[in-house]
């Protein structure tokens, strides 16, 4: 009522999750490999460097990648590229860090020509910056064989998205981050209240 401040809350951006589905052959690829599957969810965390974490489940990848990447550049790669269409050149790897974080990111094919896994890549890019860009799958020789454009994903939907466990982990992590921020502000930013001691009564001395 007197205008003093009594409560505080932190404004947080809602989580944004992306996915890459509906893989098609790369526009210049003429081989026999037919990649399908999904990369979902694709999440972005903003710590020291913006990082994309993505889980992939793919069919029809290059069987030559059964032992992982070879010596060729981009061998068995699974990368975000700067392009925004699968009907044209996808351009180079997409990142804003000083060095290319995608060079060592590669899948391993199993005996059924499938590949699954999860990677975290420090790209320096926000989720809004990578949405609409291409995810490219490479062959063992480093060539581009499949493409899909990243779009906004669904949370816990039937077509993919986050599981309840993923959502719970995000909520807990966000709450903990908010707690740390409030504690930091309280300790270092808010002025400390000054406490004063009550005045001492004057001391009297007896006359001699």
């Amino acid at each position: 009522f007197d205008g003093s401040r009594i409560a505080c809350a932190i404004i947080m951006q809602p989580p944004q999750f992306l996915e890459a589905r509906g893989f098609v052959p790369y526009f210049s690829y003429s081989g026999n490999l037919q990649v399908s599957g999904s990369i979902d969810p694709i999440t972005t965390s903003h710590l020291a460097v913006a990082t994309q974490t993505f889980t992939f489940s793919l069919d029809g990848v290059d069987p030559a990648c059964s032992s992982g990447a070879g010596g060729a550049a981009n061998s068995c790669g699974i990368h975000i590229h700067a392009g925004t269409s699968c009907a044209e050149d996808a351009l180079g790897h997409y990142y804003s860090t000083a060095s290319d974080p995608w060079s060592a990111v590669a899948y391993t094919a199993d005996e059924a020509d499938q590949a699954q896994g999860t990677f975290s890549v420090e790209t320096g890019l926000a989720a809004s910056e990578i949405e609409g860009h291409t995810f490219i799958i490479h062959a063992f020789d480093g060539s581009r064989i499949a493409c899909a454009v990243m779009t906004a994903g669904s949370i816990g939907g039937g077509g993919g998205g986050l599981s309840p466990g993923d959502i719970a982990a995000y909520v807990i992590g966000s709450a903990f981050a908010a707690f740390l921020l409030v504690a930091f502000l309280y300790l270092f930013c808010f002025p400390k209240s000054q406490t004063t001691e009550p005045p001492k009564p004057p001391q009297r001395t007896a006359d001699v």
Side-chain angles (χ1 to χ4, degrees), residues 9 23 25-26 34 36 52 77 112 130 143-144 148 151-152 155 183 187 195:
F23 279 91
Y26 190 69
Q34 296 284 337
S36 62
Q52 274 72 53
I130 64 170
S143 61
R144 303 172 181 183
T151 59
I155 301 179
L187 290 174
T195 58

Side-chain angles (χ1 to χ4, degrees), residues 31-45:
N32 297 322
L33 296 174
Q34 296 284 337
V35 177
S36 62
S38 65
I39 303 175
D40 171 39
I42 305 164
T43 62
T44 299
S45 59

Side-chain angles (χ1 to χ4, degrees), residues 6 18 23 39 42 50 69 74-75 85 89 110 118 133 185:
I6 60 174
L18 304 176
F23 279 91
I39 303 175
I42 305 164
N74 299 316
S75 176
S85 172
D89 185 3
D110 61 21
T118 299
H133 288 265
L185 292 174

